[in-house]
């Protein structure tokens, strides 16, 4: 078994981004909007802001109160859509219940939608003409490329069908030439389906749900899940101990997919900037 070192791959990606930024005539700009004071969201936003500074981006961290109106939030996004210093706009999810998440995403200009969640960008991914691609699945593709896997013709199982991870992940693998099965909470015989997979990507949100005995010998296992146990320990959706000696490659949690997501956000912001200058 080999570990896919997401921390190192993300570090190399950030280094490459930084050196490209040094050669541009202006810094790429990212605006991150945080609504309310959810502590986990605040940590994510701070990490994104710090990552921007590290690679020499211009960054705006915009804090809004939890009771902001829909109109106020949309007009903030519209202001950023026309701000020439800003190449990427990200609204940290989840939003408070009174706000329409879908409308918020659709208000972001598709050219600045560095999360890749706008229906126009999702549509382009579906058509295999991708523009800005969702960060976590794109980061997984970077990891697979780094370890040198030939994806063409491989049997892949994606467990989880969310809009932000599972669905775009399945499209990424399909676009790369794989045969893809998407499993979800209503799937029958998940272990039987996993047993046939050369590449497994799991994004479910249930700690250590996927057992090593379900995995085919030599498969590549990518664990997107991030779950905190009562003990405080962070674990993935894959039972690492029972899987590590069966998989040929496996991502750890933490230090696997997590760091790739932010590095890919920077990558998207850089490419959005390059489109404009
Ligand atoms: P979600 O809750 O939106 O979707 C979960 C998916 O899992 C659903 O499609 C559901 O049908 C499926 N599911 C639930 N129970 C199942 C079961 N028993 N068997 C098979 N499928 C089942 O979750 P999400 O936003 O996609 O996130 C999933 C996990 O990935 C979470 O742990 C989240 O924290 C993590 N995550 C990590 C990153 C990262 O950067 N590493 C990014 C996003 C999400």
């Amino acid at each position: 078994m080999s570990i896919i070192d997401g921390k190192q791959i993300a570090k190399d990606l950030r280094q490459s981004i930084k050196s490209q930024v040094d050669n541009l005539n202006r810094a790429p700009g990212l605006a991150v909007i945080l609504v309310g004071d959810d502590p986990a969201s605040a940590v994510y936003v701070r990490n994104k802001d710090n990552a921007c500074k590290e690679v020499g981006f211009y960054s705006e961290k915009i804090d809004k109160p939890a009771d902001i109106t829909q109109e106020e939030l949309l007009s903030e996004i519209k202001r950023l859509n026309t701000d020439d210093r800003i190449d990427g706009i990200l609204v940290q999810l989840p939003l408070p219940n009174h706000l329409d998440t879908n409308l918020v995403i659709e208000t972001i200009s598709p050219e600045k939608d560095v999360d890749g969640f706008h229906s126009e960008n999702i549509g382009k991914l579906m058509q295999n003409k991708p523009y800005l691609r969702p960060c976590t699945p794109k980061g997984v593709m970077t990891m697979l490329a780094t370890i040198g896997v030939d994806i063409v013709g491989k049997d892949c199982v994606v467990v989880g069908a969310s809009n932000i991870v599972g669905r775009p992940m399945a499209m990424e693998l399909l676009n790369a030439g794989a045969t893809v099965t998407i499993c979800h909470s209503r799937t029958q015989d998940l272990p039987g389906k996993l047993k046939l997979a050369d590449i497994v990507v799991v994004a479910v949100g249930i700690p250590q749900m996927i057992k090593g005995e379900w995995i085919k010998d030599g498969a590549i296992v990518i664990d997107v899940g991030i779950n905190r146990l009562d003990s405080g320990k962070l674990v993935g959706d894959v039972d690492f101990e029972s899987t590590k000696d069966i998989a040929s490659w496996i991502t750890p949690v933490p230090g696997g997919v997590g760091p790739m997501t932010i590095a890919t956000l920077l990558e998207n912001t850089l490419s959005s900037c390059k489109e404009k200058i």
Side-chain angles (χ1 to χ4, degrees), residues 23-53:
N23 293 320
L24 295 176
N25 56 21
R26 74 163 172 88
L30 177 68
V32 182
I33 303 177
L34 173 65
V35 179
D37 46 18
D38 175 62
S41 293
V43 171
Y44 290 136
V45 168
R46 202 167 53 236
N47 288 344
K48 286 168 188 172
D49 197 45
N50 289 339
C52 281
K53 295 202 170 88

PDB file of all heavy atoms in Angstrom, residues 23-53:
ATOM      1  N   ASN A  23       4.801  36.135 -12.050  1.00  0.00           N
ATOM      2  CA  ASN A  23       5.007  36.561 -13.441  1.00  0.00           C
ATOM      3  C   ASN A  23       3.809  37.287 -14.051  1.00  0.00           C
ATOM      4  O   ASN A  23       3.820  37.586 -15.241  1.00  0.00           O
ATOM      5  CB  ASN A  23       5.359  35.343 -14.309  1.00  0.00           C
ATOM      6  CG  ASN A  23       6.705  34.772 -13.919  1.00  0.00           C
ATOM      7  OD1 ASN A  23       7.630  35.517 -13.634  1.00  0.00           O
ATOM      8  ND2 ASN A  23       6.804  33.454 -13.862  1.00  0.00           N
ATOM      9  N   LEU A  24       2.766  37.531 -13.256  1.00  0.00           N
ATOM     10  CA  LEU A  24       1.595  38.254 -13.778  1.00  0.00           C
ATOM     11  C   LEU A  24       1.746  39.742 -13.492  1.00  0.00           C
ATOM     12  O   LEU A  24       2.456  40.124 -12.561  1.00  0.00           O
ATOM     13  CB  LEU A  24       0.309  37.747 -13.110  1.00  0.00           C
ATOM     14  CG  LEU A  24      -0.108  36.295 -13.362  1.00  0.00           C
ATOM     15  CD1 LEU A  24      -1.350  35.963 -12.527  1.00  0.00           C
ATOM     16  CD2 LEU A  24      -0.385  36.050 -14.836  1.00  0.00           C
ATOM     17  N   ASN A  25       1.042  40.578 -14.276  1.00  0.00           N
ATOM     18  CA  ASN A  25       1.165  42.015 -14.001  1.00  0.00           C
ATOM     19  C   ASN A  25       0.194  42.520 -12.933  1.00  0.00           C
ATOM     20  O   ASN A  25       0.216  43.676 -12.572  1.00  0.00           O
ATOM     21  CB  ASN A  25       1.083  42.843 -15.290  1.00  0.00           C
ATOM     22  CG  ASN A  25      -0.187  42.544 -16.050  1.00  0.00           C
ATOM     23  OD1 ASN A  25      -1.154  42.046 -15.450  1.00  0.00           O
ATOM     24  ND2 ASN A  25      -0.210  42.826 -17.333  1.00  0.00           N
ATOM     25  N   ARG A  26      -0.695  41.630 -12.440  1.00  0.00           N
ATOM     26  CA  ARG A  26      -1.472  41.978 -11.250  1.00  0.00           C
ATOM     27  C   ARG A  26      -1.807  40.697 -10.481  1.00  0.00           C
ATOM     28  O   ARG A  26      -1.818  39.601 -11.057  1.00  0.00           O
ATOM     29  CB  ARG A  26      -2.747  42.742 -11.616  1.00  0.00           C
ATOM     30  CG  ARG A  26      -3.838  41.892 -12.226  1.00  0.00           C
ATOM     31  CD  ARG A  26      -5.191  42.627 -12.179  1.00  0.00           C
ATOM     32  NE  ARG A  26      -6.194  41.897 -12.932  1.00  0.00           N
ATOM     33  CZ  ARG A  26      -6.957  40.926 -12.408  1.00  0.00           C
ATOM     34  NH1 ARG A  26      -6.827  40.567 -11.158  1.00  0.00           N
ATOM     35  NH2 ARG A  26      -7.843  40.305 -13.162  1.00  0.00           N
ATOM     36  N   ALA A  27      -2.062  40.868  -9.185  1.00  0.00           N
ATOM     37  CA  ALA A  27      -2.360  39.703  -8.344  1.00  0.00           C
ATOM     38  C   ALA A  27      -3.783  39.202  -8.615  1.00  0.00           C
ATOM     39  O   ALA A  27      -4.710  40.012  -8.698  1.00  0.00           O
ATOM     40  CB  ALA A  27      -2.218  40.095  -6.882  1.00  0.00           C
ATOM     41  N   PRO A  28      -3.983  37.885  -8.742  1.00  0.00           N
ATOM     42  CA  PRO A  28      -5.354  37.363  -8.800  1.00  0.00           C
ATOM     43  C   PRO A  28      -6.080  37.712  -7.510  1.00  0.00           C
ATOM     44  O   PRO A  28      -5.469  37.755  -6.434  1.00  0.00           O
ATOM     45  CB  PRO A  28      -5.150  35.842  -8.907  1.00  0.00           C
ATOM     46  CG  PRO A  28      -3.755  35.661  -9.396  1.00  0.00           C
ATOM     47  CD  PRO A  28      -2.970  36.812  -8.838  1.00  0.00           C
ATOM     48  N   GLY A  29      -7.394  37.969  -7.609  1.00  0.00           N
ATOM     49  CA  GLY A  29      -8.154  38.375  -6.420  1.00  0.00           C
ATOM     50  C   GLY A  29      -9.285  37.405  -6.104  1.00  0.00           C
ATOM     51  O   GLY A  29     -10.031  36.996  -7.002  1.00  0.00           O
ATOM     52  N   LEU A  30      -9.387  37.048  -4.830  1.00  0.00           N
ATOM     53  CA  LEU A  30     -10.470  36.156  -4.383  1.00  0.00           C
ATOM     54  C   LEU A  30     -11.262  36.835  -3.269  1.00  0.00           C
ATOM     55  O   LEU A  30     -10.674  37.353  -2.310  1.00  0.00           O
ATOM     56  CB  LEU A  30      -9.888  34.834  -3.858  1.00  0.00           C
ATOM     57  CG  LEU A  30     -10.899  33.825  -3.280  1.00  0.00           C
ATOM     58  CD1 LEU A  30     -11.804  33.263  -4.383  1.00  0.00           C
ATOM     59  CD2 LEU A  30     -10.205  32.673  -2.564  1.00  0.00           C
ATOM     60  N   ALA A  31     -12.584  36.846  -3.396  1.00  0.00           N
ATOM     61  CA  ALA A  31     -13.449  37.349  -2.327  1.00  0.00           C
ATOM     62  C   ALA A  31     -14.188  36.180  -1.710  1.00  0.00           C
ATOM     63  O   ALA A  31     -14.791  35.372  -2.420  1.00  0.00           O
ATOM     64  CB  ALA A  31     -14.450  38.354  -2.899  1.00  0.00           C
ATOM     65  N   VAL A  32     -14.112  36.075  -0.390  1.00  0.00           N
ATOM     66  CA  VAL A  32     -14.814  35.000   0.315  1.00  0.00           C
ATOM     67  C   VAL A  32     -15.831  35.632   1.259  1.00  0.00           C
ATOM     68  O   VAL A  32     -15.471  36.449   2.109  1.00  0.00           O
ATOM     69  CB  VAL A  32     -13.836  34.111   1.112  1.00  0.00           C
ATOM     70  CG1 VAL A  32     -14.591  32.984   1.796  1.00  0.00           C
ATOM     71  CG2 VAL A  32     -12.763  33.527   0.207  1.00  0.00           C
ATOM     72  N   ILE A  33     -17.098  35.274   1.067  1.00  0.00           N
ATOM     73  CA  ILE A  33     -18.155  35.836   1.912  1.00  0.00           C
ATOM     74  C   ILE A  33     -18.561  34.807   2.960  1.00  0.00           C
ATOM     75  O   ILE A  33     -18.884  33.656   2.629  1.00  0.00           O
ATOM     76  CB  ILE A  33     -19.398  36.207   1.066  1.00  0.00           C
ATOM     77  CG1 ILE A  33     -19.004  37.202  -0.046  1.00  0.00           C
ATOM     78  CG2 ILE A  33     -20.500  36.790   1.949  1.00  0.00           C
ATOM     79  CD1 ILE A  33     -20.162  37.563  -0.983  1.00  0.00           C
ATOM     80  N   LEU A  34     -18.526  35.227   4.211  1.00  0.00           N
ATOM     81  CA  LEU A  34     -18.982  34.366   5.310  1.00  0.00           C
ATOM     82  C   LEU A  34     -20.222  35.003   5.940  1.00  0.00           C
ATOM     83  O   LEU A  34     -20.164  36.143   6.396  1.00  0.00           O
ATOM     84  CB  LEU A  34     -17.863  34.229   6.353  1.00  0.00           C
ATOM     85  CG  LEU A  34     -18.224  33.495   7.643  1.00  0.00           C
ATOM     86  CD1 LEU A  34     -18.562  32.026   7.368  1.00  0.00           C
ATOM     87  CD2 LEU A  34     -17.068  33.565   8.660  1.00  0.00           C
ATOM     88  N   VAL A  35     -21.314  34.264   5.946  1.00  0.00           N
ATOM     89  CA  VAL A  35     -22.546  34.771   6.558  1.00  0.00           C
ATOM     90  C   VAL A  35     -22.738  34.066   7.904  1.00  0.00           C
ATOM     91  O   VAL A  35     -22.763  32.837   7.966  1.00  0.00           O
ATOM     92  CB  VAL A  35     -23.768  34.518   5.651  1.00  0.00           C
ATOM     93  CG1 VAL A  35     -25.042  35.042   6.319  1.00  0.00           C
ATOM     94  CG2 VAL A  35     -23.586  35.164   4.288  1.00  0.00           C
ATOM     95  N   GLY A  36     -22.858  34.884   8.969  1.00  0.00           N
ATOM     96  CA  GLY A  36     -23.076  34.298  10.292  1.00  0.00           C
ATOM     97  C   GLY A  36     -21.767  33.930  10.963  1.00  0.00           C
ATOM     98  O   GLY A  36     -20.688  34.268  10.475  1.00  0.00           O
ATOM     99  N   ASP A  37     -21.864  33.199  12.094  1.00  0.00           N
ATOM    100  CA  ASP A  37     -20.641  32.935  12.860  1.00  0.00           C
ATOM    101  C   ASP A  37     -20.477  31.458  13.202  1.00  0.00           C
ATOM    102  O   ASP A  37     -20.017  31.099  14.283  1.00  0.00           O
ATOM    103  CB  ASP A  37     -20.599  33.818  14.121  1.00  0.00           C
ATOM    104  CG  ASP A  37     -21.928  33.809  14.852  1.00  0.00           C
ATOM    105  OD1 ASP A  37     -22.736  32.883  14.589  1.00  0.00           O
ATOM    106  OD2 ASP A  37     -22.167  34.719  15.674  1.00  0.00           O
ATOM    107  N   ASP A  38     -20.842  30.587  12.243  1.00  0.00           N
ATOM    108  CA  ASP A  38     -20.598  29.158  12.443  1.00  0.00           C
ATOM    109  C   ASP A  38     -19.085  28.933  12.577  1.00  0.00           C
ATOM    110  O   ASP A  38     -18.315  29.331  11.696  1.00  0.00           O
ATOM    111  CB  ASP A  38     -21.150  28.379  11.236  1.00  0.00           C
ATOM    112  CG  ASP A  38     -20.810  26.907  11.328  1.00  0.00           C
ATOM    113  OD1 ASP A  38     -21.265  26.271  12.280  1.00  0.00           O
ATOM    114  OD2 ASP A  38     -20.060  26.399  10.450  1.00  0.00           O
ATOM    115  N   PRO A  39     -18.636  28.330  13.704  1.00  0.00           N
ATOM    116  CA  PRO A  39     -17.193  28.229  13.929  1.00  0.00           C
ATOM    117  C   PRO A  39     -16.463  27.421  12.860  1.00  0.00           C
ATOM    118  O   PRO A  39     -15.359  27.794  12.445  1.00  0.00           O
ATOM    119  CB  PRO A  39     -17.078  27.532  15.297  1.00  0.00           C
ATOM    120  CG  PRO A  39     -18.451  27.367  15.834  1.00  0.00           C
ATOM    121  CD  PRO A  39     -19.441  27.773  14.794  1.00  0.00           C
ATOM    122  N   ALA A  40     -17.054  26.319  12.371  1.00  0.00           N
ATOM    123  CA  ALA A  40     -16.379  25.499  11.352  1.00  0.00           C
ATOM    124  C   ALA A  40     -16.209  26.307  10.068  1.00  0.00           C
ATOM    125  O   ALA A  40     -15.129  26.320   9.463  1.00  0.00           O
ATOM    126  CB  ALA A  40     -17.168  24.224  11.077  1.00  0.00           C
ATOM    127  N   SER A  41     -17.279  27.038   9.664  1.00  0.00           N
ATOM    128  CA  SER A  41     -17.194  27.854   8.447  1.00  0.00           C
ATOM    129  C   SER A  41     -16.142  28.942   8.618  1.00  0.00           C
ATOM    130  O   SER A  41     -15.397  29.242   7.674  1.00  0.00           O
ATOM    131  CB  SER A  41     -18.545  28.507   8.151  1.00  0.00           C
ATOM    132  OG  SER A  41     -19.489  27.525   7.798  1.00  0.00           O
ATOM    133  N   ALA A  42     -16.070  29.525   9.830  1.00  0.00           N
ATOM    134  CA  ALA A  42     -15.087  30.585  10.076  1.00  0.00           C
ATOM    135  C   ALA A  42     -13.666  30.044   9.898  1.00  0.00           C
ATOM    136  O   ALA A  42     -12.800  30.723   9.327  1.00  0.00           O
ATOM    137  CB  ALA A  42     -15.277  31.161  11.477  1.00  0.00           C
ATOM    138  N   VAL A  43     -13.434  28.803  10.332  1.00  0.00           N
ATOM    139  CA  VAL A  43     -12.103  28.204  10.176  1.00  0.00           C
ATOM    140  C   VAL A  43     -11.795  28.000   8.694  1.00  0.00           C
ATOM    141  O   VAL A  43     -10.708  28.347   8.212  1.00  0.00           O
ATOM    142  CB  VAL A  43     -12.005  26.848  10.935  1.00  0.00           C
ATOM    143  CG1 VAL A  43     -10.710  26.120  10.588  1.00  0.00           C
ATOM    144  CG2 VAL A  43     -12.111  27.068  12.437  1.00  0.00           C
ATOM    145  N   TYR A  44     -12.765  27.470   7.930  1.00  0.00           N
ATOM    146  CA  TYR A  44     -12.553  27.263   6.489  1.00  0.00           C
ATOM    147  C   TYR A  44     -12.218  28.573   5.793  1.00  0.00           C
ATOM    148  O   TYR A  44     -11.299  28.638   4.968  1.00  0.00           O
ATOM    149  CB  TYR A  44     -13.800  26.659   5.831  1.00  0.00           C
ATOM    150  CG  TYR A  44     -14.089  25.220   6.207  1.00  0.00           C
ATOM    151  CD1 TYR A  44     -15.374  24.799   6.528  1.00  0.00           C
ATOM    152  CD2 TYR A  44     -13.061  24.274   6.205  1.00  0.00           C
ATOM    153  CE1 TYR A  44     -15.642  23.475   6.866  1.00  0.00           C
ATOM    154  CE2 TYR A  44     -13.312  22.950   6.544  1.00  0.00           C
ATOM    155  CZ  TYR A  44     -14.614  22.557   6.873  1.00  0.00           C
ATOM    156  OH  TYR A  44     -14.860  21.263   7.206  1.00  0.00           O
ATOM    157  N   VAL A  45     -12.970  29.631   6.140  1.00  0.00           N
ATOM    158  CA  VAL A  45     -12.762  30.925   5.489  1.00  0.00           C
ATOM    159  C   VAL A  45     -11.379  31.484   5.843  1.00  0.00           C
ATOM    160  O   VAL A  45     -10.659  31.995   4.983  1.00  0.00           O
ATOM    161  CB  VAL A  45     -13.896  31.914   5.865  1.00  0.00           C
ATOM    162  CG1 VAL A  45     -13.557  33.337   5.447  1.00  0.00           C
ATOM    163  CG2 VAL A  45     -15.207  31.470   5.236  1.00  0.00           C
ATOM    164  N   ARG A  46     -10.999  31.347   7.110  1.00  0.00           N
ATOM    165  CA  ARG A  46      -9.673  31.835   7.521  1.00  0.00           C
ATOM    166  C   ARG A  46      -8.569  31.076   6.773  1.00  0.00           C
ATOM    167  O   ARG A  46      -7.610  31.672   6.292  1.00  0.00           O
ATOM    168  CB  ARG A  46      -9.527  31.664   9.042  1.00  0.00           C
ATOM    169  CG  ARG A  46      -8.466  32.593   9.610  1.00  0.00           C
ATOM    170  CD  ARG A  46      -8.506  32.682  11.123  1.00  0.00           C
ATOM    171  NE  ARG A  46      -8.469  31.389  11.791  1.00  0.00           N
ATOM    172  CZ  ARG A  46      -9.392  30.964  12.660  1.00  0.00           C
ATOM    173  NH1 ARG A  46     -10.408  31.729  12.957  1.00  0.00           N
ATOM    174  NH2 ARG A  46      -9.266  29.786  13.249  1.00  0.00           N
ATOM    175  N   ASN A  47      -8.745  29.752   6.630  1.00  0.00           N
ATOM    176  CA  ASN A  47      -7.742  28.957   5.911  1.00  0.00           C
ATOM    177  C   ASN A  47      -7.626  29.398   4.451  1.00  0.00           C
ATOM    178  O   ASN A  47      -6.529  29.467   3.901  1.00  0.00           O
ATOM    179  CB  ASN A  47      -8.105  27.466   5.951  1.00  0.00           C
ATOM    180  CG  ASN A  47      -7.903  26.877   7.337  1.00  0.00           C
ATOM    181  OD1 ASN A  47      -7.228  27.482   8.174  1.00  0.00           O
ATOM    182  ND2 ASN A  47      -8.494  25.721   7.581  1.00  0.00           N
ATOM    183  N   LYS A  48      -8.765  29.718   3.844  1.00  0.00           N
ATOM    184  CA  LYS A  48      -8.752  30.154   2.440  1.00  0.00           C
ATOM    185  C   LYS A  48      -8.050  31.505   2.321  1.00  0.00           C
ATOM    186  O   LYS A  48      -7.246  31.724   1.414  1.00  0.00           O
ATOM    187  CB  LYS A  48     -10.192  30.231   1.900  1.00  0.00           C
ATOM    188  CG  LYS A  48     -10.776  28.842   1.659  1.00  0.00           C
ATOM    189  CD  LYS A  48     -12.277  28.854   1.407  1.00  0.00           C
ATOM    190  CE  LYS A  48     -12.795  27.410   1.365  1.00  0.00           C
ATOM    191  NZ  LYS A  48     -14.247  27.289   1.321  1.00  0.00           N
ATOM    192  N   ASP A  49      -8.346  32.401   3.264  1.00  0.00           N
ATOM    193  CA  ASP A  49      -7.734  33.726   3.275  1.00  0.00           C
ATOM    194  C   ASP A  49      -6.214  33.601   3.440  1.00  0.00           C
ATOM    195  O   ASP A  49      -5.438  34.237   2.713  1.00  0.00           O
ATOM    196  CB  ASP A  49      -8.365  34.523   4.429  1.00  0.00           C
ATOM    197  CG  ASP A  49      -8.125  36.007   4.298  1.00  0.00           C
ATOM    198  OD1 ASP A  49      -8.297  36.532   3.189  1.00  0.00           O
ATOM    199  OD2 ASP A  49      -7.745  36.640   5.308  1.00  0.00           O
ATOM    200  N   ASN A  50      -5.780  32.752   4.371  1.00  0.00           N
ATOM    201  CA  ASN A  50      -4.343  32.569   4.592  1.00  0.00           C
ATOM    202  C   ASN A  50      -3.665  31.973   3.364  1.00  0.00           C
ATOM    203  O   ASN A  50      -2.553  32.368   2.999  1.00  0.00           O
ATOM    204  CB  ASN A  50      -4.092  31.651   5.805  1.00  0.00           C
ATOM    205  CG  ASN A  50      -4.446  32.354   7.115  1.00  0.00           C
ATOM    206  OD1 ASN A  50      -4.491  33.582   7.172  1.00  0.00           O
ATOM    207  ND2 ASN A  50      -4.723  31.577   8.158  1.00  0.00           N
ATOM    208  N   ALA A  51      -4.345  30.998   2.735  1.00  0.00           N
ATOM    209  CA  ALA A  51      -3.771  30.365   1.539  1.00  0.00           C
ATOM    210  C   ALA A  51      -3.580  31.402   0.434  1.00  0.00           C
ATOM    211  O   ALA A  51      -2.573  31.399  -0.273  1.00  0.00           O
ATOM    212  CB  ALA A  51      -4.676  29.230   1.064  1.00  0.00           C
ATOM    213  N   CYS A  52      -4.548  32.331   0.303  1.00  0.00           N
ATOM    214  CA  CYS A  52      -4.430  33.406  -0.700  1.00  0.00           C
ATOM    215  C   CYS A  52      -3.192  34.243  -0.439  1.00  0.00           C
ATOM    216  O   CYS A  52      -2.424  34.545  -1.355  1.00  0.00           O
ATOM    217  CB  CYS A  52      -5.644  34.336  -0.622  1.00  0.00           C
ATOM    218  SG  CYS A  52      -7.081  33.685  -1.433  1.00  0.00           S
ATOM    219  N   LYS A  53      -3.007  34.613   0.809  1.00  0.00           N
ATOM    220  CA  LYS A  53      -1.867  35.481   1.156  1.00  0.00           C
ATOM    221  C   LYS A  53      -0.558  34.765   0.836  1.00  0.00           C
ATOM    222  O   LYS A  53       0.371  35.362   0.303  1.00  0.00           O
ATOM    223  CB  LYS A  53      -1.928  35.857   2.631  1.00  0.00           C
ATOM    224  CG  LYS A  53      -3.164  36.713   2.924  1.00  0.00           C
ATOM    225  CD  LYS A  53      -3.010  37.543   4.186  1.00  0.00           C
ATOM    226  CE  LYS A  53      -4.137  38.553   4.296  1.00  0.00           C
ATOM    227  NZ  LYS A  53      -5.332  38.021   4.970  1.00  0.00           N
TER     228      LYS A  53
END
